[in-house]
Amino acid sequence: MDTDEIKPGMKGYGRTVFSGKQIESFDIEVLGVLKNWEAKNDMILIKMSGGPLEKTGIIAGMSGSPVYIDDKLIGAVSHGWSYSKDAIAGVTPIRAMIDVMEMDSRNRKNLAAKANRIWSTSLNTQDTNVIAKLESYGLLHKYEFHENTDTREPFIFNLVPIQTPLIVSGFSNESLTKISPLFGRVGRFSLHSSNGEYGSPEDLVNFMPGSSIAVEIIRGDLSVSAVGTLTYRDGNDILAFGHPIIQIGNTDMPMATAEVHTILASQASSTKMASPGKIIGRITQDRRSAIAGKIGEYTQMLPCQVKIQGSLNIEYNFEVVQDRILTPILVQMAIENAILTTEKTVGEKSMMIKLDIGIADREEPISIENKYFDSGPSWLPIYNVIEPITILLNNEFKTAKIESINLVADISEHNNVAFIDNIKVSNKWVSPGEEVLMNISVKQYARSYASIPLTIKIPDDVAPGSSIQVIVCDAMNSKMLEMTSAPGSFLPSSFEQLIHHLENEEHNSNIIVKLRLNKKGLTYMGEDFPSLPNSFLSIMSLSNQSGVTPLRSEIVKRIPTEWFINGKQTINLFVDNKS
């Protein structure tokens, strides 16, 4: 039934699950229709009654509950008011939801996720009867203007998508708080989640409009699922929720049945306490008006393994949805949670991370290893794990399908930071080909100084009268210097070059010694060409094509240590004119 056929006072019924898997009916009465609620979309306002609704009001998890008038489907319960004593809801019209089902995902652009909406419009644009009814329930609020303001009084509805219960298992509250902005209006509840089993055909006989449905985002030792209600089923095609989960557009997430254990009544927002069941299909659209999917088609999730070695040795195995935007966020959430629930959250921590990323059509995994130190509860080193995943999924060269993520985090509660305190050389005046003895003084935290000897050889072709800058620094300072002297080296021109950059990131336990010479070169298409002849350098510098950037010649030595190196020291050497 279209919204044009719906009139205030019409009565009908809705269907949802209040307990277990049994679908029950509740009564509805139409209060009115908000025309053009959002661009090209109407919103049907109804008052619900029956079952536990008199006590609970709108229940989180009812999103998607189908509503019928004269046995014709008009839409899905989707919006509501917080702290309202009456079960008054907004219904997303079924025509808007069917548009999602019919959407050709290949020819549609993803819609950006939006924050909760609060709707406002001018008083004279809506039916006065609808306005009067909303005022009688205390659900309409007028803006107050100063005197002599020449404008019509607008009003505002605090009408927002009904909370979607996010059923979680294995997660700490700190980890969940970080993803609240992503999932918007979701209620977080710790319940046992899905075991990942797949449903058989006989399980779906009673899976019909009004049944509870779960969308799995993470599953395994750590699990997260969003729970709502099935609105419409046409064979194996389904519509649910009446509003988005995240509004990410084209997606690929497992769809499962769900069972309601009880309803938690609350003045703020009553909630269905539910658990996901067997996987029966997949969700392929997450749009403004609904989520859509297909029964019997299954999605391949990304297997992840996280091993924590420290005060406790624990292994976590889980899977996350494969998505350019969601995958890095969910992996970060899971890894942070694994560490936070296993190790201490406050105080100094040292961590050695080894990350292996399996890529389709590539025999060997991309392997990244580094050492980090964190002095607080932030676990900033986890960003360094997520960055390579994000880069691979969003690279400009080819579609990279990640097949596995394996992380080993070796954590110590000791401070292993060492600062580069001072450098000394045996001679500041040098000759071409001469060997110079350098002594690097390193101060360990709360410990004595350590002395590291190093012999550096002056290049044979260094120009008399020139100077050589010697820099001894940590990995971060080294990267900053390279970005200044050779920015082109950070712009890979192929997928394999990108992987090379990821795998050869400077190690934080290295002391890096740089001899910066006054011999110039250039970087072309991501490759370094040092010590070019002046004639060729002039030609390339004046090149009429992009991809050519300056490069300063330098000699680099790395000294591996057992510490997390911090700091930078510099000294200048002078080449004797007589030489």
Side-chain angles (χ1 to χ4, degrees), residues 415-419 442-450 562-563:
N415 186 326
N416 71 336
V417 177
F419 296 90
V442 175
K443 174 68 170 69
Q444 302 174 68
Y445 178 79
R447 296 181 187 177
S448 59
Y449 287 85
E562 59 183 300
W563 311 299

Side-chain angles (χ1 to χ4, degrees), residues 189-205:
F189 304 96
S190 295
L191 288 175
H192 178 67
S193 191
S194 171
N195 55 12
E197 294 179 358
Y198 290 88
S200 54
E202 57 268 21
D203 296 327
L204 306 181
V205 174

Side-chain angles (χ1 to χ4, degrees), residues 345-363:
T345 58
V346 178
E348 298 167 335
K349 302 168 288 290
S350 299
M351 178 162 54
M352 173 66 79
I353 285 181
K354 186 178 187 302
L355 174 67
D356 290 326
I357 305 173
I359 300 289
D361 303 324
R362 185 180 173 89
E363 291 185 8

Side-chain angles (χ1 to χ4, degrees), residues 91-106:
V91 172
T92 300
I94 188 59
R95 293 298 178 190
M97 298 179 68
I98 288 177
D99 285 344
V100 177
M101 179 177 283
E102 296 176 345
M103 185 176 296
D104 181 358
S105 61
R106 291 173 299 179

Side-chain angles (χ1 to χ4, degrees), residues 497-512:
Q497 205 173 80
L498 173 66
I499 292 176
H500 176 78
H501 282 304
L502 292 176
E503 291 190 317
N504 290 276
E505 183 78 12
E506 195 69 70
H507 205 284
N508 291 324
S509 63
N510 286 343
I511 295 176
I512 297 103

